[in-house]
Amino acid sequence: MSPLQSNASATPLKTTAAPTFAAVGSPYFGILLACMAVIVILSNIGASKGVQFGPIITDGGFFLFPFAYILGDVISEIYGFKVNRKAVLTTFVLSIFASLSYWVIILLPGFTDDYGVSKQHALEDALGPVPQIVLASLLAFLAGQTVNSWIMVRLKAHHGERKLWVRLMGSSGAGEFLDTLIFCAVAAPVIGIVGFGMFANYVLVGFLYKVGVQYALIPVTSLAIGWFKRNEPSYVEAVPAT
């Protein structure tokens, strides 16, 4: 046997083990999905209001939406890409249902006194733009969460259970940038943002804020993911013994 053959036989090729994911049969996934859906629906309502802090331009859903991505990170890490994709699609079916419900509420005949007319106008102003906001959010969240989840799962296949912080940071930047750009492009006219300067401000502030929140909460997200890994029965059973 030649030295080359001897070294080849003595040094096995490194293979990347399939990443570990949990099944969705436990109650934990349902809770995560419900929280994601509520956050996105409330964000869609809030996003119809333009918000300004001095030179900073954003919308009324800015403080909620990053948490939908944090939940997406948890779902991707614990349950995998396909389950996260189903969660995103389910969330937006519910968002569309909510938007249709607002439309029906606006169309229902209301009281004709001054208070009733004033209430009708308020509903139309507040909930009328929501369908376009839902469209913007649908396109943006589908694209952003797909990229976010795909990067999370690919990095997990490479690192295994190690370097969770790398997965959280790497996926958040790419996913949030795509999400923010698409959402702002579709939603800006409804919110009242006009001109390139206001639009660029809206995109930049939205991106930096969302990524900043996610990065700042990485320790909390890591603790939450660790809790699910220890308490999700199917994940505990799937982790190979060391």
Side-chain angles (χ1 to χ4, degrees):
M1 179 181 295
S2 69
L4 181 61
Q5 291 174 319
S6 176
N7 289 338
S9 61
T11 307
L13 293 174
K14 291 184 179 180
T15 57
T16 301
T20 299
F21 297 114
V24 296
S26 78
Y28 298 123
F29 172 70
I31 294 171
L32 290 170
L33 174 59
C35 291
M36 177 185 282
V38 169
I39 287 172
V40 171
I41 289 172
L42 290 177
S43 296
N44 289 340
I45 296 173
S48 63
K49 175 182 178 178
V51 174
Q52 186 167 2
F53 299 102
I56 297 174
I57 296 173
T58 182
D59 59 63
F62 78 98
F63 67 98
L64 275 174
F65 198 72
F67 294 99
Y69 264 80
I70 290 172
L71 290 172
D73 286 340
V74 175
I75 292 173
S76 297
E77 177 72 14
I78 303 299
Y79 301 99
F81 177 76
K82 291 183 179 179
V83 174
N84 184 71
R85 184 173 59 188
K86 290 179 181 178
V88 171
L89 291 174
T90 301
T91 295
F92 279 100
V93 168
L94 294 173
S95 295
I96 291 170
F97 174 74
S99 184
L100 291 174
S101 299
Y102 306 148
W103 177 68
V104 172
I105 292 169
I106 290 172
L107 288 181
L108 290 173
F111 295 154
T112 56
D113 59 0
D114 290 343
Y115 177 78
V117 171
S118 175
K119 191 105 173 183
Q120 177 69 19
H121 290 325
L123 283 171
E124 291 174 359
D125 291 340
L127 300 180
V130 168
Q132 188 165 339
I133 299 294
V134 170
L135 174 62
S137 187
L138 173 63
L139 296 175
F141 199 49
L142 282 176
Q145 269 287 359
T146 298
V147 170
N148 183 79
S149 181
W150 184 83
I151 292 174
M152 282 280 295
V153 172
R154 292 296 297 171
L155 289 176
K156 185 174 182 178
H158 182 69
H159 294 138
E161 296 297 314
R162 300 176 296 109
K163 298 184 179 180
L164 174 60
W165 65 273
V166 173
R167 296 196 287 282
L168 293 173
M169 293 188 73
S171 62
S172 297
E176 287 287 17
F177 177 75
L178 187 60
D179 180 289
T180 304
L181 184 62
I182 295 174
F183 178 82
C184 292
V186 178
V190 180
I191 299 171
I193 293 175
V194 294
F196 178 76
M198 289 184 69
F199 177 77
N201 188 323
Y202 186 36
V203 172
L204 183 62
V205 168
F207 171 69
L208 293 178
Y209 171 78
K210 292 172 187 175
V211 172
V213 169
Q214 287 192 249
Y215 282 6
L217 291 179
I218 280 178
V220 178
T221 306
S222 299
L223 288 174
I225 287 174
W227 186 92
F228 279 103
K229 287 182 176 180
R230 292 189 302 272
N231 291 277
E232 172 60 76
S234 58
Y235 195 93
V236 174
E237 293 170 1
V239 174
T242 56

